[in-house]
Amino acid sequence: MFRKKHFNINIGTVIFGALFLYLIITVVLYLTAEHISSYQVTSGPLSQNETYTALALRSEEVVDATAGGYVSYYLGDSSKISQGGAVCGIGSTQNLLENKTLTASDLQTLQEAASNFSQSYDGGDFSSVYDFKYTLDGKILSTEDPSSLSGTLVTSDSDGVVAYSCDGYETLTQEDITPEIFSEKSYRRTNLRTEEQISAGDPLYRLIRSETWSIVIPVTDRQTVRLASHDTIQVKFLKDGQSETGQLSLFVSGDQRYVQITFTSGMIRYCNDRFLDVELVTNTRSGLKIPISAIVTKEFYTIPSSFQTVSGENSEVGFLKEITDENGETTTTFVASTLYEEVTDEDTGESVYYVDMNDFQEGDVLIQPDSNARYTVGATGTLEGVYCINRGYAVFRKIVIIDQNEEFCIVESGTSYGIAQYDYIVEDGTQVNENEILY
């Protein structure tokens, strides 16, 4: 006797199997589907400006002490000085003014200096406190009779800027430039401001006599070609982000090419720097950066601008189209249109609008407002653009190219029916069609 076998179906197993099959199908479809890559529009130049390490040349000299003793400084580092101005004093003690009696006028001068210092004081730059101390000593010294000082007063023999460091490069000229000079490993800078006793002939301070200064940069042949077309150039100093515009010249020393850029301002900011990291601003054009692969062309109908009109109901812009009904009677209807571009026709000299081809059909007749003039739709033109996908489907957006290279271009921002920074566009415009839903 045979017994019937009963098959028990587990509903959980069935559901799990169905879900597993669905996942497999979904993965297969995803892997075999054509994927659309997007690109977020950014703003900036077409390419980054190149950065260099430059050598600074100035009209400067190191002034040596004429007597020995202790130095009392009366001027802060990187301070301007006039001819005959007091730089420091050299005496047998560390303070030439220890017996100075202040008058009411002296006190008022010091109070004004202290007030100005407190307004500009930066807690992150404590060295400025010492510079302020030297400034106060200098103001006191300026009211003193030099014959009453217990030591030698050191004054400047010309206008300029005083700095308390030297490096042996003070007398460098263009003719002395060699590749070895640009080796910062062997560079040494000596601080001249000291509290120790000095001897006659020791370096005392550095005097920079002119605001005109220059930087020298070694360049390659390729960089030389790029810079040769510039008479002037903007230089950004990476130390503080400040920029200066200077006169550019090229020269060759030995087998190395160099560019020299001469400035008439800004020297005092970098008077203690021999080597400066700089950026030569050669890419001055800036706009919205997009890949070349994203660019597509779209065909439009071109319609004379004289046929454009405005609807009285809601101020929409468009055209009057002639319609013939079944009885042969003609009427006009208003067709709202997006005017993507207005250009001047080279043949007729008349301005025309670029209108989406979905708004009309070839052969449509348009009526000029307040006139019996007619225009038959048919002439076309093309515009360059990209597909914007911010809303999940491809929308044509017009672009105006400013500059381009092999991979990217920069386009104008703020154009009508154009793109904006942070928009998402299709990276390869050939992969989609207009109004195609992508996600």
Side-chain angles (χ1 to χ4, degrees):
M1 189 175 186
F2 297 96
R3 293 184 178 180
K4 263 187 183 179
K5 291 186 178 180
H6 297 280
F7 294 96
N8 295 323
I9 299 176
N10 190 318
I11 189 64
T13 303
V14 173
I15 294 174
F16 178 79
L19 288 174
F20 183 71
L21 181 62
Y22 172 77
L23 289 175
I24 291 177
I25 295 173
T26 302
V27 171
V28 171
L29 291 176
Y30 176 80
L31 294 176
T32 57
E34 185 178 24
H35 299 290
I36 306 300
S37 298
S38 64
Y39 176 87
Q40 188 175 35
V41 179
T42 58
S43 179
L46 185 61
S47 59
Q48 295 297 319
N49 295 307
E50 292 189 273
T51 58
Y52 307 81
T53 297
L55 176 75
L57 300 180
R58 294 174 284 261
S59 175
E60 55 189 345
E61 65 171 324
V62 176
V63 178
D64 296 331
T66 57
Y70 292 98
V71 183
S72 296
Y73 300 97
Y74 304 125
L75 205 63
D77 194 19
S78 307
S79 296
K80 291 184 178 181
I81 192 170
S82 58
Q83 183 177 5
V87 179
C88 60
I90 304 175
S92 57
T93 64
Q94 291 185 335
N95 189 0
L96 274 65
L97 297 174
E98 56 187 355
N99 297 320
K100 167 70 175 178
T101 301
L102 298 178
T103 65
S105 177
D106 294 338
L107 289 173
Q108 182 178 357
T109 300
L110 298 183
Q111 288 173 352
E112 292 175 355
S115 177
N116 293 334
F117 172 76
S118 64
Q119 293 176 8
S120 59
Y121 173 68
D122 179 5
D125 184 17
F126 191 73
S127 63
S128 63
V129 177
Y130 289 97
D131 288 339
F132 175 59
K133 171 184 176 297
Y134 302 136
T135 300
L136 291 182
D137 288 345
K139 290 184 177 297
I140 297 172
L141 186 65
S142 65
T143 64
E144 186 72 11
D145 181 1
S147 62
S148 67
L149 298 174
S150 58
T152 302
L153 179 66
V154 180
T155 60
S156 175
D157 63 358
S158 71
D159 296 343
V161 173
V162 171
Y164 297 116
S165 65
C166 66
D167 56 12
Y169 288 18
E170 289 79 16
T171 59
L172 274 181
T173 62
Q174 184 187 100
E175 292 73 21
D176 302 319
I177 299 297
T178 62
E180 292 73 25
I181 288 177
F182 289 85
S183 174
E184 296 185 61
K185 292 182 179 179
S186 59
Y187 177 75
R188 295 291 182 273
R189 186 175 69 175
T190 303
N191 182 18
L192 301 178
R193 195 155 58 183
T194 177
E195 295 182 359
E196 301 294 329
Q197 192 171 11
I198 67 169
S199 302
D202 288 345
L204 193 59
Y205 67 95
R206 178 164 49 97
L207 180 65
I208 307 169
R209 299 180 180 273
S210 174
E211 275 286 336
T212 300
W213 65 297
S214 65
I215 58 173
V216 175
I217 304 170
V219 291
T220 63
D221 292 344
R222 179 184 62 82
Q223 292 166 336
T224 300
V225 172
R226 177 179 295 182
L227 296 171
S229 60
H230 293 77
D231 294 324
T232 62
I233 194 168
Q234 183 181 356
V235 179
K236 181 180 180 180
F237 296 90
L238 303 186
K239 176 182 179 179
D240 56 8
Q242 298 292 320
S243 297
E244 295 285 342
T245 299
Q247 295 287 328
L248 183 146
S249 61
L250 295 164
F251 69 93
V252 179
S253 180
D255 297 328
Q256 178 64 53
R257 297 179 183 274
Y258 299 91
V259 58
Q260 184 168 17
I261 305 170
T262 304
F263 310 98
T264 57
S265 62
M267 179 276 298
I268 195 170
R269 293 199 303 270
Y270 316 108
C271 66
N272 281 316
D273 297 298
R274 184 62 63 187
F275 293 98
L276 289 160
D277 291 328
V278 299
E279 177 183 313
L280 301 189
V281 184
T282 54
N283 298 317
T284 57
R285 292 183 173 182
S286 183
L288 301 176
K289 186 177 179 180
I290 62 172
I292 294 292
S293 59
I295 300 175
V296 296
T297 58
K298 179 179 177 179
E299 193 171 23
F300 295 84
Y301 284 127
T302 57
I303 300 174
S305 59
S306 59
F307 283 79
Q308 176 259 326
T309 187
V310 177
S311 171
E313 297 179 359
N314 46 21
S315 299
E316 285 187 304
V317 175
F319 301 89
L320 295 178
K321 184 173 74 171
E322 186 178 74
I323 297 177
T324 303
D325 61 19
E326 298 176 351
N327 299 322
E329 296 182 1
T330 58
T331 58
T332 59
T333 183
F334 177 80
V335 179
S337 301
T338 299
L339 310 180
Y340 279 85
E341 183 72 273
E342 181 181 10
V343 299
T344 301
D345 189 292
E346 296 180 356
D347 297 327
T348 64
E350 184 179 9
S351 65
V352 297
Y353 286 122
Y354 280 63
V355 178
D356 197 304
M357 298 185 77
N358 291 324
D359 295 341
F360 299 98
Q361 292 183 351
E362 185 176 2
D364 283 347
V365 176
L366 305 182
I367 307 298
Q368 191 175 54
D370 303 324
S371 170
N372 291 324
R374 284 168 168 74
Y375 176 79
T376 302
V377 175
T380 62
T382 58
L383 293 177
E384 289 185 314
V386 295
Y387 288 127
C388 182
I389 55 175
N390 291 343
R391 298 182 178 180
Y393 57 94
V395 179
F396 180 85
R397 290 287 182 259
K398 183 187 68 175
I399 61 171
V400 178
I401 298 176
I402 301 174
D403 197 5
Q404 69 181 69
N405 56 26
E406 294 180 356
E407 296 184 36
F408 292 91
C409 68
I410 53 175
V411 302
E412 291 182 1
S413 59
T415 56
S416 299
Y417 307 105
I419 55 175
Q421 188 176 8
Y422 306 126
D423 278 350
Y424 283 93
I425 62 175
V426 177
E427 188 169 7
D428 184 354
T430 61
Q431 291 185 320
V432 302
N433 297 313
E434 188 174 8
N435 295 323
E436 180 180 343
I437 298 176
L438 303 180
Y439 55 86

PDB file of all heavy atoms in Angstrom, residues 379-401:
ATOM      1  N   ALA A 379      14.220  79.168 -41.779  1.00  0.00           N
ATOM      2  CA  ALA A 379      15.651  79.397 -41.580  1.00  0.00           C
ATOM      3  C   ALA A 379      16.062  78.905 -40.191  1.00  0.00           C
ATOM      4  O   ALA A 379      15.313  79.023 -39.225  1.00  0.00           O
ATOM      5  CB  ALA A 379      15.976  80.877 -41.725  1.00  0.00           C
ATOM      6  N   THR A 380      17.260  78.325 -40.123  1.00  0.00           N
ATOM      7  CA  THR A 380      17.725  77.757 -38.849  1.00  0.00           C
ATOM      8  C   THR A 380      19.130  78.244 -38.512  1.00  0.00           C
ATOM      9  O   THR A 380      19.856  78.769 -39.365  1.00  0.00           O
ATOM     10  CB  THR A 380      17.736  76.218 -38.893  1.00  0.00           C
ATOM     11  OG1 THR A 380      18.652  75.790 -39.921  1.00  0.00           O
ATOM     12  CG2 THR A 380      16.356  75.663 -39.168  1.00  0.00           C
ATOM     13  N   GLY A 381      19.499  78.050 -37.267  1.00  0.00           N
ATOM     14  CA  GLY A 381      20.841  78.337 -36.778  1.00  0.00           C
ATOM     15  C   GLY A 381      21.125  77.439 -35.597  1.00  0.00           C
ATOM     16  O   GLY A 381      20.226  76.794 -35.048  1.00  0.00           O
ATOM     17  N   THR A 382      22.382  77.333 -35.208  1.00  0.00           N
ATOM     18  CA  THR A 382      22.750  76.445 -34.102  1.00  0.00           C
ATOM     19  C   THR A 382      23.411  77.237 -32.975  1.00  0.00           C
ATOM     20  O   THR A 382      24.048  78.270 -33.211  1.00  0.00           O
ATOM     21  CB  THR A 382      23.712  75.337 -34.564  1.00  0.00           C
ATOM     22  OG1 THR A 382      24.885  75.947 -35.126  1.00  0.00           O
ATOM     23  CG2 THR A 382      23.056  74.444 -35.586  1.00  0.00           C
ATOM     24  N   LEU A 383      23.237  76.731 -31.758  1.00  0.00           N
ATOM     25  CA  LEU A 383      23.889  77.291 -30.571  1.00  0.00           C
ATOM     26  C   LEU A 383      24.585  76.168 -29.824  1.00  0.00           C
ATOM     27  O   LEU A 383      24.130  75.015 -29.844  1.00  0.00           O
ATOM     28  CB  LEU A 383      22.865  77.956 -29.646  1.00  0.00           C
ATOM     29  CG  LEU A 383      22.162  79.213 -30.144  1.00  0.00           C
ATOM     30  CD1 LEU A 383      21.128  79.674 -29.116  1.00  0.00           C
ATOM     31  CD2 LEU A 383      23.163  80.328 -30.424  1.00  0.00           C
ATOM     32  N   GLU A 384      25.685  76.523 -29.169  1.00  0.00           N
ATOM     33  CA  GLU A 384      26.381  75.556 -28.335  1.00  0.00           C
ATOM     34  C   GLU A 384      25.807  75.591 -26.920  1.00  0.00           C
ATOM     35  O   GLU A 384      25.405  76.647 -26.430  1.00  0.00           O
ATOM     36  CB  GLU A 384      27.873  75.856 -28.287  1.00  0.00           C
ATOM     37  CG  GLU A 384      28.599  75.568 -29.591  1.00  0.00           C
ATOM     38  CD  GLU A 384      30.091  75.774 -29.468  1.00  0.00           C
ATOM     39  OE1 GLU A 384      30.490  76.810 -28.899  1.00  0.00           O
ATOM     40  OE2 GLU A 384      30.856  74.921 -29.941  1.00  0.00           O
ATOM     41  N   GLY A 385      25.785  74.434 -26.285  1.00  0.00           N
ATOM     42  CA  GLY A 385      25.260  74.372 -24.929  1.00  0.00           C
ATOM     43  C   GLY A 385      25.596  73.056 -24.263  1.00  0.00           C
ATOM     44  O   GLY A 385      26.397  72.253 -24.777  1.00  0.00           O
ATOM     45  N   VAL A 386      25.003  72.838 -23.115  1.00  0.00           N
ATOM     46  CA  VAL A 386      25.179  71.596 -22.357  1.00  0.00           C
ATOM     47  C   VAL A 386      23.808  71.145 -21.863  1.00  0.00           C
ATOM     48  O   VAL A 386      22.846  71.914 -21.888  1.00  0.00           O
ATOM     49  CB  VAL A 386      26.138  71.791 -21.160  1.00  0.00           C
ATOM     50  CG1 VAL A 386      27.534  72.122 -21.630  1.00  0.00           C
ATOM     51  CG2 VAL A 386      25.618  72.880 -20.215  1.00  0.00           C
ATOM     52  N   TYR A 387      23.741  69.891 -21.397  1.00  0.00           N
ATOM     53  CA  TYR A 387      22.505  69.391 -20.822  1.00  0.00           C
ATOM     54  C   TYR A 387      22.592  69.488 -19.304  1.00  0.00           C
ATOM     55  O   TYR A 387      23.413  68.835 -18.664  1.00  0.00           O
ATOM     56  CB  TYR A 387      22.260  67.937 -21.237  1.00  0.00           C
ATOM     57  CG  TYR A 387      21.869  67.782 -22.696  1.00  0.00           C
ATOM     58  CD1 TYR A 387      22.565  66.915 -23.532  1.00  0.00           C
ATOM     59  CD2 TYR A 387      20.810  68.508 -23.222  1.00  0.00           C
ATOM     60  CE1 TYR A 387      22.203  66.772 -24.861  1.00  0.00           C
ATOM     61  CE2 TYR A 387      20.443  68.374 -24.552  1.00  0.00           C
ATOM     62  CZ  TYR A 387      21.147  67.518 -25.364  1.00  0.00           C
ATOM     63  OH  TYR A 387      20.778  67.385 -26.688  1.00  0.00           O
ATOM     64  N   CYS A 388      21.720  70.312 -18.727  1.00  0.00           N
ATOM     65  CA  CYS A 388      21.640  70.473 -17.278  1.00  0.00           C
ATOM     66  C   CYS A 388      20.670  69.422 -16.727  1.00  0.00           C
ATOM     67  O   CYS A 388      19.581  69.224 -17.284  1.00  0.00           O
ATOM     68  CB  CYS A 388      21.164  71.881 -16.932  1.00  0.00           C
ATOM     69  SG  CYS A 388      21.085  72.223 -15.163  1.00  0.00           S
ATOM     70  N   ILE A 389      21.072  68.751 -15.637  1.00  0.00           N
ATOM     71  CA  ILE A 389      20.253  67.646 -15.107  1.00  0.00           C
ATOM     72  C   ILE A 389      19.904  67.869 -13.633  1.00  0.00           C
ATOM     73  O   ILE A 389      19.739  66.906 -12.874  1.00  0.00           O
ATOM     74  CB  ILE A 389      20.966  66.287 -15.287  1.00  0.00           C
ATOM     75  CG1 ILE A 389      22.366  66.324 -14.662  1.00  0.00           C
ATOM     76  CG2 ILE A 389      21.035  65.917 -16.748  1.00  0.00           C
ATOM     77  CD1 ILE A 389      23.071  64.977 -14.692  1.00  0.00           C
ATOM     78  N   ASN A 390      19.778  69.124 -13.230  1.00  0.00           N
ATOM     79  CA  ASN A 390      19.442  69.411 -11.824  1.00  0.00           C
ATOM     80  C   ASN A 390      18.118  68.772 -11.407  1.00  0.00           C
ATOM     81  O   ASN A 390      17.941  68.376 -10.250  1.00  0.00           O
ATOM     82  CB  ASN A 390      19.367  70.918 -11.595  1.00  0.00           C
ATOM     83  CG  ASN A 390      20.723  71.582 -11.684  1.00  0.00           C
ATOM     84  OD1 ASN A 390      21.748  70.909 -11.608  1.00  0.00           O
ATOM     85  ND2 ASN A 390      20.755  72.889 -11.857  1.00  0.00           N
ATOM     86  N   ARG A 391      17.163  68.693 -12.340  1.00  0.00           N
ATOM     87  CA  ARG A 391      15.818  68.203 -12.008  1.00  0.00           C
ATOM     88  C   ARG A 391      15.592  66.762 -12.435  1.00  0.00           C
ATOM     89  O   ARG A 391      14.451  66.286 -12.445  1.00  0.00           O
ATOM     90  CB  ARG A 391      14.775  69.109 -12.643  1.00  0.00           C
ATOM     91  CG  ARG A 391      14.844  70.547 -12.136  1.00  0.00           C
ATOM     92  CD  ARG A 391      13.762  71.399 -12.744  1.00  0.00           C
ATOM     93  NE  ARG A 391      13.798  72.771 -12.232  1.00  0.00           N
ATOM     94  CZ  ARG A 391      12.951  73.729 -12.594  1.00  0.00           C
ATOM     95  NH1 ARG A 391      11.986  73.457 -13.475  1.00  0.00           N
ATOM     96  NH2 ARG A 391      13.052  74.948 -12.095  1.00  0.00           N
ATOM     97  N   GLY A 392      16.651  66.067 -12.812  1.00  0.00           N
ATOM     98  CA  GLY A 392      16.513  64.658 -13.146  1.00  0.00           C
ATOM     99  C   GLY A 392      16.304  64.374 -14.614  1.00  0.00           C
ATOM    100  O   GLY A 392      16.255  63.203 -14.997  1.00  0.00           O
ATOM    101  N   TYR A 393      16.167  65.398 -15.438  1.00  0.00           N
ATOM    102  CA  TYR A 393      16.038  65.186 -16.878  1.00  0.00           C
ATOM    103  C   TYR A 393      16.890  66.221 -17.601  1.00  0.00           C
ATOM    104  O   TYR A 393      17.252  67.258 -17.050  1.00  0.00           O
ATOM    105  CB  TYR A 393      14.578  65.264 -17.339  1.00  0.00           C
ATOM    106  CG  TYR A 393      13.874  66.559 -17.014  1.00  0.00           C
ATOM    107  CD1 TYR A 393      13.827  67.604 -17.934  1.00  0.00           C
ATOM    108  CD2 TYR A 393      13.244  66.737 -15.776  1.00  0.00           C
ATOM    109  CE1 TYR A 393      13.178  68.796 -17.648  1.00  0.00           C
ATOM    110  CE2 TYR A 393      12.592  67.921 -15.481  1.00  0.00           C
ATOM    111  CZ  TYR A 393      12.564  68.944 -16.416  1.00  0.00           C
ATOM    112  OH  TYR A 393      11.922  70.126 -16.109  1.00  0.00           O
ATOM    113  N   ALA A 394      17.241  65.899 -18.856  1.00  0.00           N
ATOM    114  CA  ALA A 394      18.199  66.709 -19.603  1.00  0.00           C
ATOM    115  C   ALA A 394      17.530  67.957 -20.182  1.00  0.00           C
ATOM    116  O   ALA A 394      16.583  67.856 -20.961  1.00  0.00           O
ATOM    117  CB  ALA A 394      18.814  65.875 -20.719  1.00  0.00           C
ATOM    118  N   VAL A 395      18.032  69.122 -19.790  1.00  0.00           N
ATOM    119  CA  VAL A 395      17.523  70.412 -20.279  1.00  0.00           C
ATOM    120  C   VAL A 395      18.678  71.161 -20.941  1.00  0.00           C
ATOM    121  O   VAL A 395      19.743  71.325 -20.332  1.00  0.00           O
ATOM    122  CB  VAL A 395      16.939  71.248 -19.125  1.00  0.00           C
ATOM    123  CG1 VAL A 395      16.443  72.591 -19.656  1.00  0.00           C
ATOM    124  CG2 VAL A 395      15.827  70.499 -18.426  1.00  0.00           C
ATOM    125  N   PHE A 396      18.478  71.605 -22.187  1.00  0.00           N
ATOM    126  CA  PHE A 396      19.519  72.333 -22.901  1.00  0.00           C
ATOM    127  C   PHE A 396      19.738  73.692 -22.271  1.00  0.00           C
ATOM    128  O   PHE A 396      18.794  74.427 -22.013  1.00  0.00           O
ATOM    129  CB  PHE A 396      19.135  72.504 -24.374  1.00  0.00           C
ATOM    130  CG  PHE A 396      20.161  73.251 -25.184  1.00  0.00           C
ATOM    131  CD1 PHE A 396      21.248  72.595 -25.734  1.00  0.00           C
ATOM    132  CD2 PHE A 396      20.040  74.624 -25.382  1.00  0.00           C
ATOM    133  CE1 PHE A 396      22.189  73.288 -26.483  1.00  0.00           C
ATOM    134  CE2 PHE A 396      20.974  75.319 -26.123  1.00  0.00           C
ATOM    135  CZ  PHE A 396      22.051  74.659 -26.681  1.00  0.00           C
ATOM    136  N   ARG A 397      21.012  74.021 -22.024  1.00  0.00           N
ATOM    137  CA  ARG A 397      21.388  75.335 -21.504  1.00  0.00           C
ATOM    138  C   ARG A 397      22.480  75.914 -22.392  1.00  0.00           C
ATOM    139  O   ARG A 397      23.492  75.267 -22.661  1.00  0.00           O
ATOM    140  CB  ARG A 397      21.892  75.228 -20.052  1.00  0.00           C
ATOM    141  CG  ARG A 397      20.775  74.900 -19.056  1.00  0.00           C
ATOM    142  CD  ARG A 397      19.884  76.114 -18.846  1.00  0.00           C
ATOM    143  NE  ARG A 397      18.838  75.869 -17.868  1.00  0.00           N
ATOM    144  CZ  ARG A 397      17.589  75.596 -18.140  1.00  0.00           C
ATOM    145  NH1 ARG A 397      17.227  75.499 -19.424  1.00  0.00           N
ATOM    146  NH2 ARG A 397      16.703  75.414 -17.189  1.00  0.00           N
ATOM    147  N   LYS A 398      22.262  77.147 -22.831  1.00  0.00           N
ATOM    148  CA  LYS A 398      23.183  77.823 -23.741  1.00  0.00           C
ATOM    149  C   LYS A 398      24.482  78.190 -23.034  1.00  0.00           C
ATOM    150  O   LYS A 398      24.483  78.529 -21.843  1.00  0.00           O
ATOM    151  CB  LYS A 398      22.511  79.086 -24.272  1.00  0.00           C
ATOM    152  CG  LYS A 398      23.315  79.864 -25.294  1.00  0.00           C
ATOM    153  CD  LYS A 398      22.617  81.169 -25.610  1.00  0.00           C
ATOM    154  CE  LYS A 398      22.643  82.119 -24.428  1.00  0.00           C
ATOM    155  NZ  LYS A 398      22.073  83.444 -24.735  1.00  0.00           N
ATOM    156  N   ILE A 399      25.621  78.144 -23.752  1.00  0.00           N
ATOM    157  CA  ILE A 399      26.900  78.572 -23.208  1.00  0.00           C
ATOM    158  C   ILE A 399      27.585  79.524 -24.187  1.00  0.00           C
ATOM    159  O   ILE A 399      27.343  79.474 -25.398  1.00  0.00           O
ATOM    160  CB  ILE A 399      27.837  77.385 -22.914  1.00  0.00           C
ATOM    161  CG1 ILE A 399      28.144  76.611 -24.200  1.00  0.00           C
ATOM    162  CG2 ILE A 399      27.249  76.473 -21.843  1.00  0.00           C
ATOM    163  CD1 ILE A 399      29.223  75.550 -24.035  1.00  0.00           C
ATOM    164  N   VAL A 400      28.448  80.380 -23.636  1.00  0.00           N
ATOM    165  CA  VAL A 400      29.297  81.259 -24.449  1.00  0.00           C
ATOM    166  C   VAL A 400      30.730  81.007 -23.990  1.00  0.00           C
ATOM    167  O   VAL A 400      31.104  81.337 -22.861  1.00  0.00           O
ATOM    168  CB  VAL A 400      28.930  82.742 -24.261  1.00  0.00           C
ATOM    169  CG1 VAL A 400      29.861  83.626 -25.089  1.00  0.00           C
ATOM    170  CG2 VAL A 400      27.476  82.988 -24.651  1.00  0.00           C
ATOM    171  N   ILE A 401      31.537  80.405 -24.846  1.00  0.00           N
ATOM    172  CA  ILE A 401      32.897  79.996 -24.482  1.00  0.00           C
ATOM    173  C   ILE A 401      33.828  81.203 -24.454  1.00  0.00           C
ATOM    174  O   ILE A 401      33.852  82.012 -25.384  1.00  0.00           O
ATOM    175  CB  ILE A 401      33.422  78.932 -25.463  1.00  0.00           C
ATOM    176  CG1 ILE A 401      32.553  77.679 -25.389  1.00  0.00           C
ATOM    177  CG2 ILE A 401      34.876  78.594 -25.177  1.00  0.00           C
ATOM    178  CD1 ILE A 401      32.934  76.598 -26.393  1.00  0.00           C
TER     179      ILE A 401
END
